[in-house]
Amino acid sequence: MLIVDTIADLRETLAPHRRAGRRIGFVPTMGYLHKGHTTLVDRAREHADVVVASIFVNPLQFAPTEDFARYPRDLPADSRLLEEHGCDILFAPSVEEMYPRPIATHVEVGGLSTILEGERRPGHFRGVATVVAKLFGIVQPDVACFGEKDYQQLAVIRRMVADLSLPVEILGVPTVREADGVACSSRNVYLSADERALAPVLNRSLAEAEAAIRDGILDPEAIEALIRRVLATVPVAEPDLVAVCRADDLGPIDPKAPPGAIAMMLAVRIGRTRLLDQRVVSLSA
Ligand code: PAF
C-alpha cells in the first residue's frame, strides 16, 4: 500500500490508473480504524479496481467545545489494517496540506444540515460536506463508501452529490456492530469498562422499537417514547437525540400515510462520551 500525504502526489499516483480506465473507489475516514471502516474498504474493493482511503481528522467539523485535539489517532495501526484489507493507496494529509489558509468556501446542504443532529451540532455538517466535497475533488472517485451509522451524514452527502451533480456513486454500508450489539465507533475507546458494559442499551432500544413498528406501531411519538423508556433503564445514559423520521429525507412521519421506510437515530451520552446509533425499518414487503 502506498502512503501519500500531499494532494499533488495523490493526483500523480492516480493519473495512470485513471488513464487506464480503472474504477477508483474511495473510503474517507478520520482514522482510528475499526471493523466498521474495514467493511467500507472491503465494499469499495468489490466495486472498484483501485481503492483509496483517506485519514484526516477534519477540524472544520468540530465545534471549539468538541474533541478535535483529543480525537484518537494511530496512523501505524491504521496503515496495517488498511493494507490487510487490500487498500491500494492511503492519503493522509496534514491540516496545513488540506487548509493552507483559512477556507473561504463552504458547502452547506440547506435543511438537512440544520435539523436533528445538525441542530445540536451547528456547523458540523457544513464541515463534513465541505471536506467531503474537497476530498472528492482531490481523489475524483467513481464510487465512495460511507457507513449508515452516521445516517444523517450519509443523507447530507447523498443530497450534496445529487444537487451538485458530482460524478460519484455513493454506497451506504450497514452499521457494523460488536458481538454485544454496540455499533463500532472510534469514540468507543473513550468509554470506561463500566460504561462500555452499559452501551448495548442503544441497540437494545432500537431493536425493541423495530419490533413495535413490525407490530404495527407507526406513530413516531409512541416509537420515540418506547426508545426513551428502554434508554431510561440505564440511568447514566442521557439521550441527546432520539429521532424517528422518514428514512429517505429525514422528514416527519405522518402515521396515516406511513413512508416506505422509517429511520431511527440516536445520540446518547454515556459519561463524557456521545455515542451514535441508528436503525432503518423497511415497511415495504
Ligand atoms: O465519518 C467520518 O469519519 C467523517 O465525518 C468524514 C466523512 C471522513 C469526513 O471528515
Side-chain angles (χ1 to χ4, degrees):
M1 184 181 69
L2 202 62
I3 304 180
V4 294
D5 58 10
T6 69
I7 296 170
D9 282 352
L10 183 70
R11 289 205 164 123
E12 204 180 308
T13 305
L14 285 173
H17 292 297
R18 220 182 307 281
R19 275 197 300 274
R22 295 191 190 108
R23 204 169 145 78
I24 295 169
F26 181 41
V27 179
T29 81
M30 297 206 301
Y32 216 73
L33 305 179
H34 50 65
K35 231 175 359 167
H37 297 111
T38 56
T39 305
L40 300 180
V41 173
D42 296 344
R43 182 57 58 87
R45 211 23 324 143
E46 289 162 21
H47 289 261
D49 305 305
V50 180
V51 176
V52 181
S54 64
I55 294 182
F56 179 62
V57 185
N58 171 37
L60 289 189
Q61 67 191 76
F62 290 78
T65 52
E66 293 181 345
D67 56 347
F68 172 70
R70 73 176 188 122
Y71 194 85
R73 293 159 167 92
D74 189 346
L75 193 59
D78 287 348
S79 311
R80 278 196 299 277
L81 209 52
L82 288 171
E83 191 144 23
E84 276 165 32
H85 283 261
C87 176
D88 299 297
I89 301 163
L90 167 58
F91 178 51
S94 64
V95 172
E96 294 68 36
E97 176 69 11
M98 287 293 277
Y99 305 125
R101 56 187 173 176
I103 192 160
T105 308
H106 292 92
V107 179
E108 181 88 55
V109 179
L112 264 183
S113 279
T114 50
I115 59 171
L116 307 171
E117 183 73 339
E119 203 181 331
R120 284 148 185 87
R121 299 184 68 189
H124 170 68
F125 288 119
R126 185 169 91 144
V128 170
T130 301
V131 79
V132 171
K134 186 171 167 89
L135 288 165
F136 283 177
I138 295 167
V139 178
Q140 297 177 40
D142 297 286
V143 56
C145 298
F146 293 86
E148 285 182 357
K149 181 175 75 69
D150 298 298
Y151 194 76
Q152 188 168 355
Q153 166 172 287
L154 178 58
V156 165
I157 289 164
R158 283 192 195 285
R159 184 65 193 259
M160 171 184 83
V161 164
D163 284 357
L164 300 181
S165 305
L166 301 180
V168 51
E169 182 190 345
I170 301 298
L171 283 181
V173 178
T175 299
V176 177
R177 298 180 181 282
E178 303 291 350
D180 61 0
V182 173
C184 294
S185 164
S186 306
R187 289 189 168 101
N188 289 349
V189 71
Y190 297 150
L191 296 166
S192 69
D194 288 348
E195 289 167 348
R196 177 63 188 77
L198 299 170
V201 72
L202 277 76
N203 185 44
R204 204 157 59 236
S205 72
L206 294 171
E208 291 198 23
E210 172 166 2
I213 294 170
R214 300 216 176 277
D215 279 348
I217 296 179
L218 298 176
D219 174 3
E221 284 176 21
I223 301 167
E224 182 184 327
L226 188 155
I227 293 172
R228 286 186 185 277
R229 267 200 308 280
V230 178
L231 291 174
T233 61
V234 170
V236 296
E238 287 177 32
D240 189 21
L241 171 71
V242 178
V244 179
C245 54
R246 294 195 297 257
D248 53 356
D249 62 359
L250 313 190
I253 292 171
D254 174 356
K256 291 190 213 84
I262 293 179
M264 299 179 283
M265 291 186 278
L266 302 182
V268 177
R269 272 182 215 287
I270 297 193
R272 289 180 63 208
T273 310
R274 192 168 180 275
L275 298 177
L276 301 187
D277 205 342
Q278 60 74 230
R279 190 175 280 236
V280 173
V281 183
S282 174
L283 300 176
S284 48

